[in-house]
């Protein structure tokens, strides 16, 4: 994917597609797959508040739907001043598909950039080995 300032511009252009009439906070995300593909998402709120979807969840859902299940980088921008980092639930959603060292990049409206690995954002994240799950 191109450099951070280009990605920031792309995410900024996506913000108006967010459906955020309740919080007024628009969030856009692009996830980069290990296969070189990119997948975008915005937050999609709902009148029944808990049914709302974060931008990261939208982007991850698009990636998995397209067959991309290994993520190498996750970029997030919002309409708020400063940097926005993924919420706790989204950190776990990223962790599920993250390549080791997957970088989360927060992009602010004035060119600010923050970088953290998913392991820094979610130490000791929950993983389950399907082979070890007891059924029946
Ligand atoms: N939001 C995201 O899309 N991603 C995050 O990581 C944090 C929060 C959205 C949810 C809600 O629509 C709005 O931002 C305000 O919380």
């Amino acid at each position: 994917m191109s450099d951070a300032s280009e990605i920031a511009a792309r995410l900024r252009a996506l913000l108006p597609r967010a459906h955020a009439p309740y919080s007024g906070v628009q969030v856009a995300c692009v996830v980069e797959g290990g296969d070189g593909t990119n997948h975008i998402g915005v937050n999609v709120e709902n009148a029944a508040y808990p049914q709302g979807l974060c931008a990261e969840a939208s982007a991850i859902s698009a990636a998995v739907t397209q067959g991309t299940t290994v993520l190498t980088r996750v970029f997030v921008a919002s309409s708020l001043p400063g940097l926005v980092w993924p919420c706790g639930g989204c950190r776990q959603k990223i962790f599920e598909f993250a390549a080791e060292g997957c970088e989360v990049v927060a992009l602010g409206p004035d060119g600010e950039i923050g970088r953290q690995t998913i392991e820094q954002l979610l130490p000791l994240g929950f993983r389950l080995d399907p082979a070890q799950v007891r059924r029946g």
Side-chain angles (χ1 to χ4, degrees):
M1 199 162 14
S2 43
D3 77 309
S5 64
E6 257 178 68
I7 295 163
R10 189 171 164 206
L11 288 180
R12 239 131 268 289
L14 262 184
L15 287 177
R17 290 201 204 155
H19 178 70
Y22 307 107
S23 74
V25 178
Q26 300 170 325
V27 185
C29 175
V30 56
V31 297
E32 177 189 76
D35 55 8
T37 59
N38 297 314
H39 306 269
I40 56 173
V42 294
N43 54 330
V44 183
E45 295 182 352
N46 192 282
Y49 291 0
Q51 301 306 323
L53 200 61
C54 285
E56 297 90 329
S58 297
I60 291 168
S61 175
V64 173
T65 303
Q66 295 293 317
T68 297
T69 53
V70 176
L71 304 181
T72 47
R73 288 192 297 173
V74 175
F75 297 87
V76 185
S78 89
S79 57
L80 293 171
L83 300 179
V84 160
W85 294 99
C87 73
C90 285
R91 293 177 193 204
Q92 180 65 33
K93 288 183 175 74
I94 294 165
F95 189 72
E96 177 78 13
F97 299 105
E100 204 184 318
C102 173
E103 199 174 40
V104 178
V105 184
L107 299 164
D110 299 312
E112 315 95 301
I113 302 182
R115 298 175 193 275
Q116 299 280 322
T117 64
I118 187 62
E119 290 84 2
Q120 287 172 311
L121 293 178
L122 187 71
L124 305 175
F126 181 67
R127 273 198 208 292
L128 205 53
D129 176 357
Q132 291 176 344
V133 178
R134 283 172 53 152
R135 295 184 187 81

